[in-house]
Amino acid sequence: MDEHQPETLRAVEHELTALLRRGRTLSWEVAKEVHPDLDPNAYGLLLWLRRCDSIRLTDLAARLGVGKGTLSRQINSLEALGLVRRESDPDDRRASPLSLTAEGQRRFDAARSSRLAEFRRILERWEKQDVEDFAQLLRRFNDALD
């Protein structure tokens, strides 16, 4: 066992904690850009809906690791803000695929553009390979959490 492993793990914990704290602040700011009444935790839902285009509530709940009841309440809130819509599935009347409305997509894309510009500003001095490695390592870490 590497004698530096505990210290290295403490360093990882420290940096992840700092990143998560900053991420919560950034999510709050970006959520307000999308809609002044948007719950900051809902930005991640919008991100998944933008990525998936259309997804059933049960599939989204499984992907996010949250209960259907909790997710349904969040989706109801997003529907009330005009950002998300439920559609009928002609093949399964019990299913209601979710997707962003045109307004939800427009607002999300504008806020995301602002967020990506901030990432670009932060990473512009990094070597291209370092940014690619960073993205790959974050993906690997997130995949390990699933």
Side-chain angles (χ1 to χ4, degrees), residues 51-64:
R51 183 180 297 162
C52 296
D53 191 41
S54 178
I55 189 170
R56 291 173 38 164
L57 183 116
T58 53
D59 295 335
L60 184 58
R63 189 170 279 182
L64 297 174

Side-chain angles (χ1 to χ4, degrees), residues 81-101:
L81 294 174
L83 303 173
V84 170
R85 71 174 162 265
R86 293 178 203 246
E87 300 167 345
S88 353
D89 185 338
D91 298 327
D92 184 354
R93 293 188 328 199
R94 297 169 298 155
S96 300
L98 306 166
S99 60
L100 294 178
T101 63

Side-chain angles (χ1 to χ4, degrees), residues 58-118:
T58 53
D59 295 335
L60 184 58
R63 189 170 279 182
L64 297 174
V66 298
K68 289 188 296 183
T70 299
L71 184 58
S72 184
R73 284 188 295 280
Q74 291 174 324
I75 293 297
N76 289 341
S77 174
L78 293 171
E79 279 184 295
L81 294 174
L83 303 173
V84 170
R85 71 174 162 265
R86 293 178 203 246
E87 300 167 345
S88 353
D89 185 338
D91 298 327
D92 184 354
R93 293 188 328 199
R94 297 169 298 155
S96 300
L98 306 166
S99 60
L100 294 178
T101 63
E103 181 67 5
Q105 186 171 325
R106 185 191 68 73
R107 286 174 174 256
F108 176 85
D109 288 349
R112 186 182 209 190
S113 176
S114 161
R115 183 178 234 189
L116 291 177
E118 181 67 10

